[in-house]
Amino acid sequence: MSDGLACYLVQMGRPANPRRVVSSIAPAPAREVVTSREADAFVEQWIDSCN
């Protein structure tokens, strides 16, 4: 979609909303930054919650 420069903000049990897109390289508080492993695990849980 954006060469990795943007991402959807998603909620468990809800489909992705194209109006909730943020920059993936914007500054963020350290407490909100996760590892790629944590992000992958969340995405799997999110997908399962939408099925």
Side-chain angles (χ1 to χ4, degrees):
M1 162 182 119
S2 65
D3 294 327
L5 298 177
C7 54
Y8 290 106
L9 294 177
V10 297
Q11 294 176 290
M12 291 293 175
R14 296 184 150 193
N17 180 338
R19 292 176 288 200
R20 295 193 67 195
V21 176
V22 297
S23 172
S24 60
I25 58 172
R31 69 183 180 283
E32 294 183 17
V33 177
V34 299
T35 66
S36 60
R37 184 174 288 163
E38 290 170 315
D40 290 345
F42 178 86
V43 169
E44 287 182 31
Q45 291 173 3
W46 172 71
I47 290 170
D48 289 344
S49 78
C50 291
N51 291 327

